[in-house]
Amino acid sequence: MSESGEMSEFGYIMELLAKGKVTIKNIERELICPACKELFTHPLILPCQHSICHKCVKELLLTLDDSFNDVGSDNSNQSSPRLRLPSPSMDKIDRINRPGWKRNSLTPRTTIFPCPGCEHDVDLGERGINGLFRNFTLETIVERYRQAARAATAIMCDLCKPPPQESTKSCMDCSASYCNECFKIHHPWGTIKAQHEYVGPTTNFRPKILMCPEHETERINMYCELCRRPVCHLCKLGGNHANHRVTTMSSAYKTLKEKLSKDIDYLIGKESQVKSQISELNLLMKETECNGERAKEEAITHFEKLFEILEERKSSVLKAIDSSKKLRLDKFQTQMEEYQGLLENNGLVGYAQEVLKETDQSCFVQTAKQLHLRIQKATESLKSFRPAAQTSFEDYVVNTSKQTELLGELSFFSSGIDVPEINEEQSKVYNNALINWHHPEKDKADSYVLEYRKINREDEMSWNEIEVCGTSKIIQDLENSSTYAFRVRAYKGSICSPCSRELILHTPPAPVFSFLFDEKCGYNNEHLLLNLKRDRVESRAGFNLLLAAERIQVGYYTSLDYIIGDTGITKGKHFWAFRVEPYSYLVKVGVASSDKLQEWLRSPRDAVSPRYEQDSGHDSGSEDACFDSSQPFTLVTIGMKKFFIPKSPTSSNEPENRVLPMPTSIGIFLDYDKGKVSFYDMDHMKCLYERQVDCSHTLYPAFALMGSGGIQLEEPITAKYLEYQEDM
């Protein structure tokens, strides 16, 4: 867009301001950056058409890049086994500004971040920040707002000798402000500078002509209707917009200005209606406040009734316990007194001793008969001692489990709203948690509240709540190696349904390690087929194998076709997951050192047999037979819908104990610092096998295929992943 065109658009807006229909003070909300919550500074237009400060984009990218590094990226050596590059020492902001980045380059990998305005993921592409346009119109309006806010503060001349004079005009070509005298000196008549464009005093200078960020020497002269952004003729001829529909800048300017003018005129014409609706909203707010207080009072009344019932039941239960306790203590006291009477010179025994002193036979017999019966009874009680009462109060334990569950589900009357159900098949945990649910009467629910909490055996964790408009949500920042419970309830106005049944998910034992298949290092394109995204590989060696086997009469051996991750690991804990296609004949997965990979990939097909070296890895069972804990690789075998646990000197090596059903998704956990690798069933986050591995060199995710087979890397759960799931 030309300078004159932009100034005309700005002039139209300022004309409305001058007429008093819009005041600078009232538009402050439109001039606030959604990220920093301050006035825009050098705003950039994102692909979603929202604007954000230049410095805020940098900070967002740096924050995401640092977060990515914290969970494992900076713990990785991002080089191939054949090339090692030193760590960069340049400033991160300079690296973010640098155009272009590649997965194996030293520039940050993060070019996707959520827009602070709409929260949708924004992909800056290869050029990063340099591919964004500055919003000069917004920048000019912000500058006018600042000037109106600081009307008493003058803009000083940039060329005056101290003390500087107040400027009277600013030159847009020189990007400087001048007083009258300095302007005459630096813009003399009869020179080219005398033809410069000047405006009133300002600190906002912008170029006269917008240049294409992708082709920096080309000026903007067209508008892409598909991408909704200005482009140059090179973008249309052979760039990213070659097949897009474009129009001339003047046509786009005219169309957009007509639409904007029409919409503004419509809104201004509806001013009385807007004021009426604002008054109605004020009344609704007051009514809502009154109804909310009334609802609180009713809720307090209901809870007080529950408290009264609980207090009554508490008093009754405690009274019953006290009565039982008193009765038992009385029985014990009586029994104890009887036993104390059996002591010498005390009670019954003392009385019997006195009776024995009686010399008159008639009197003795008369008294001794009853006394003898009592002595016999006491003797029998000594032989079979039994407490007079029980000490346990097991019968008096209050069972509140059912009531606790009911109270935990205590909510507003559902008014017929069905309980939503979490879809366990579509819910999963990887780098984030993806929770999907369905509602039998979806149209009746206005929104949902997703609750989740960490399950801790020691402490009862409180529930975290997130309001959701749809039927799926991504939960971030979950702790590794933890168990979480999820549940959801539906809302219709102020009425909500009971909570759904809880879903229990286990997070991975370490941060998710991000990588793709390396299409250069050792990749055999004759046997392996790699997709464009480099996250899926298939083995297509069958036809070539048949052609080669036709010429062999004695026998023919095939070797494994290796493919590795494009990112290495030199420290830290990392976890990654993948799926092995059920039709796969033989697949090996695990980790291997850079030195070992170079050895395997140098000439694996020169050997007569895949068993040409005991620990080469080409033997489908070589790693099983080798128990050396210091080996620089660990691979497990998967095939024919089975997971084969390698042999171990400390466990049973019977085939039935080593063969498991193949999990739907398999995870690998590498603890580089401890030199240990583990293989997980992702569905249940259960460790199937683990062993030591030599971590003295850079380790890479390693895969190998023989015959037909396929491997699909698990896709990280992001907002784009959620959009894809909804489309499906």
Side-chain angles (χ1 to χ4, degrees), residues 257-435:
K257 183 169 182 179
E258 287 178 354
K259 290 181 179 179
L260 181 60
S261 302
K262 184 178 180 180
D263 292 340
I264 291 177
D265 291 338
Y266 176 82
L267 291 177
I268 294 176
K270 296 292 183 178
E271 184 174 356
S272 59
Q273 180 180 347
V274 172
K275 290 181 178 180
S276 174
Q277 292 175 351
I278 291 176
S279 300
E280 183 179 353
L281 289 174
N282 285 326
L283 293 176
L284 291 176
M285 289 176 63
K286 293 179 180 179
E287 183 179 353
T288 301
E289 187 173 353
C290 294
N291 292 339
E293 292 299 323
R294 188 181 300 111
K296 283 176 61 177
E297 293 175 359
E298 293 178 358
I300 291 173
T301 302
H302 287 299
F303 277 102
E304 287 178 348
K305 290 182 180 179
L306 289 177
F307 294 153
E308 291 176 1
I309 295 174
L310 287 175
E311 285 294 334
E312 181 182 349
R313 294 302 302 157
K314 175 184 174 182
S315 177
S316 175
V317 168
L318 294 181
K319 185 177 180 180
I321 293 175
D322 287 337
S323 298
S324 178
K325 181 180 71 172
K326 184 177 182 303
L327 179 62
R328 297 182 190 190
L329 289 176
D330 291 343
K331 290 183 178 180
F332 280 126
Q333 183 65 31
T334 302
Q335 187 178 20
M336 186 173 64
E337 290 176 354
E338 291 178 355
Y339 273 83
Q340 285 179 344
L342 300 180
L343 298 177
E344 186 178 1
N345 300 323
N346 193 13
L348 182 62
V349 174
Y351 174 67
Q353 289 175 342
E354 294 297 326
V355 171
L356 288 175
K357 295 178 181 180
E358 177 64 50
T359 57
D360 187 280
Q361 294 181 357
S362 300
C363 293
F364 176 81
V365 170
Q366 183 182 11
T367 305
K369 181 61 178 177
Q370 181 66 25
L371 179 61
H372 184 248
L373 292 176
R374 292 178 61 191
I375 292 292
Q376 282 183 328
K377 186 177 180 180
T379 303
E380 291 175 358
S381 66
L382 284 175
K383 294 179 181 179
S384 57
F385 174 75
R386 293 183 62 182
Q390 295 182 354
T391 59
S392 173
F393 279 77
E394 293 179 354
D395 295 338
Y396 289 84
V397 175
V398 180
N399 182 9
T400 61
S401 58
K402 183 177 180 180
Q403 289 76 11
T404 301
E405 183 178 354
L406 290 175
L407 287 174
E409 297 177 354
L410 184 64
S411 182
F412 302 106
F413 180 62
S414 64
S415 186
I417 300 180
D418 292 334
V419 180
E421 299 178 4
I422 296 182
N423 191 323
E424 298 185 11
E425 295 182 356
Q426 295 184 6
S427 300
K428 59 183 293 188
V429 166
Y430 192 37
N431 59 320
N432 296 315
L434 172 63
I435 308 300

Side-chain angles (χ1 to χ4, degrees), residues 453-499:
R453 69 176 179 182
K454 180 181 177 182
I455 299 178
N456 194 327
R457 295 182 179 179
E458 299 177 356
D459 301 322
E460 186 75 12
M461 306 293 288
S462 59
W463 290 93
N464 300 289
E465 295 186 353
I466 301 178
E467 185 175 357
V468 186
C469 293
T471 56
S472 58
K473 181 64 179 177
I474 292 177
I475 308 296
Q476 301 176 338
D477 302 326
L478 300 180
E479 296 182 17
N480 295 317
S481 191
S482 302
T483 303
Y484 283 85
F486 301 86
R487 66 186 187 187
V488 65
R489 62 178 185 267
Y491 273 86
K492 178 66 174 179
S494 59
I495 308 301
C496 77
S497 71
C499 290

Side-chain angles (χ1 to χ4, degrees), residues 223-236:
Y223 182 80
C224 179
E225 296 182 353
L226 179 62
C227 302
R228 296 185 298 175
R229 62 176 291 168
V231 296
C232 70
H233 69 282
L234 292 182
C235 294
K236 174 59 179 173

Side-chain angles (χ1 to χ4, degrees), residues 624 643-647 652-660:
D624 302 343
F643 182 94
F644 298 88
I645 298 179
K647 294 180 180 179
S652 173
N653 291 318
E654 296 297 327
E656 58 270 15
N657 297 325
R658 295 178 50 229
V659 181
L660 303 176

Side-chain angles (χ1 to χ4, degrees), residues 578-589 620 624 635-646 655-666 679-681 688 710:
F578 51 88
R579 298 189 302 274
V580 176
E581 296 297 341
Y583 64 80
S584 301
Y585 173 68
L586 191 155
V587 174
K588 284 182 172 291
V589 297
S620 62
D624 302 343
L635 300 173
V636 299
T637 302
I638 302 170
M640 301 178 68
K641 300 182 180 181
K642 302 294 182 182
F643 182 94
F644 298 88
I645 298 179
E656 58 270 15
N657 297 325
R658 295 178 50 229
V659 181
L660 303 176
M662 184 181 73
T664 305
S665 182
I666 301 169
F679 297 83
Y680 278 76
D681 177 357
L688 304 176

Side-chain angles (χ1 to χ4, degrees), residues 568-631:
I569 299 173
T570 58
K571 62 179 178 179
K573 298 179 180 180
H574 307 273
F575 183 86
W576 61 93
F578 51 88
R579 298 189 302 274
V580 176
E581 296 297 341
Y583 64 80
S584 301
Y585 173 68
L586 191 155
V587 174
K588 284 182 172 291
V589 297
V591 295
S593 68
S594 54
D595 292 349
K596 199 65 182 178
L597 287 170
Q598 290 181 6
E599 178 183 335
W600 289 349
L601 301 175
R602 187 177 300 115
S603 55
R605 293 167 182 80
D606 294 341
V608 176
S609 166
R611 295 182 178 268
Y612 67 89
E613 184 181 345
Q614 180 65 20
D615 66 345
S616 67
H618 293 282
D619 176 9
S620 62
S622 62
E623 71 273 17
D624 302 343
C626 180
F627 300 136
D628 183 10
S629 62
S630 62
Q631 66 182 17

Side-chain angles (χ1 to χ4, degrees), residues 74-305:
D74 64 351
N75 295 337
S76 308
N77 180 1
Q78 299 181 23
S79 60
S80 69
R82 299 178 180 178
L83 179 62
R84 307 266 178 79
L85 295 176
S87 300
S89 59
M90 60 193 69
D91 185 80
K92 283 190 175 181
I93 293 183
D94 292 338
R95 290 188 294 153
I96 282 191
N97 283 329
R98 182 185 306 162
W101 69 276
K102 294 182 179 179
R103 192 166 190 86
N104 289 330
S105 67
L106 296 176
T107 54
R109 295 195 270 183
T110 307
T111 61
I112 300 178
F113 65 93
C115 169
C118 61
E119 298 185 356
H120 284 85
D121 275 358
V122 174
D123 191 350
L124 299 186
E126 295 185 355
R127 292 187 57 81
I129 294 179
N130 289 344
L132 299 177
F133 282 103
R134 277 178 65 180
N135 193 337
F136 288 111
T137 301
L138 176 59
E139 196 170 337
T140 303
I141 297 175
V142 170
E143 178 60 26
R144 294 298 296 265
Y145 175 83
R146 285 196 172 102
Q147 290 182 12
R150 60 168 189 257
T153 304
I155 299 176
M156 309 309 292
C157 177
D158 295 328
L159 280 300
C160 274
K161 294 181 180 179
Q165 300 295 317
E166 182 177 343
S167 64
T168 57
K169 54 180 67 71
S170 296
C171 179
M172 302 304 292
D173 296 272
C174 301
S175 299
S177 298
Y178 301 89
C179 63
N180 286 331
E181 294 300 324
C182 291
F183 187 81
K184 293 177 181 179
I185 295 173
H186 294 278
H187 296 76
W189 289 103
T191 64
I192 297 179
K193 285 191 173 183
Q195 302 176 5
H196 284 186
E197 178 186 358
Y198 60 90
V199 295
T202 182
T203 57
N204 179 41
F205 302 99
R206 60 179 183 178
K208 283 189 172 184
I209 300 174
L210 286 180
M211 307 303 291
C212 178
E214 297 186 15
H215 309 96
E216 298 177 357
T217 59
E218 300 295 328
R219 61 181 294 177
I220 295 299
N221 54 8
M222 289 183 287
Y223 182 80
C224 179
E225 296 182 353
L226 179 62
C227 302
R228 296 185 298 175
R229 62 176 291 168
V231 296
C232 70
H233 69 282
L234 292 182
C235 294
K236 174 59 179 173
L237 290 177
N240 297 329
H241 308 269
N243 298 322
H244 296 178
R245 181 179 177 181
V246 299
T247 184
T248 62
M249 188 59 67
S250 59
S251 175
Y253 168 75
K254 181 179 179 181
T255 301
L256 291 175
K257 183 169 182 179
E258 287 178 354
K259 290 181 179 179
L260 181 60
S261 302
K262 184 178 180 180
D263 292 340
I264 291 177
D265 291 338
Y266 176 82
L267 291 177
I268 294 176
K270 296 292 183 178
E271 184 174 356
S272 59
Q273 180 180 347
V274 172
K275 290 181 178 180
S276 174
Q277 292 175 351
I278 291 176
S279 300
E280 183 179 353
L281 289 174
N282 285 326
L283 293 176
L284 291 176
M285 289 176 63
K286 293 179 180 179
E287 183 179 353
T288 301
E289 187 173 353
C290 294
N291 292 339
E293 292 299 323
R294 188 181 300 111
K296 283 176 61 177
E297 293 175 359
E298 293 178 358
I300 291 173
T301 302
H302 287 299
F303 277 102
E304 287 178 348
K305 290 182 180 179

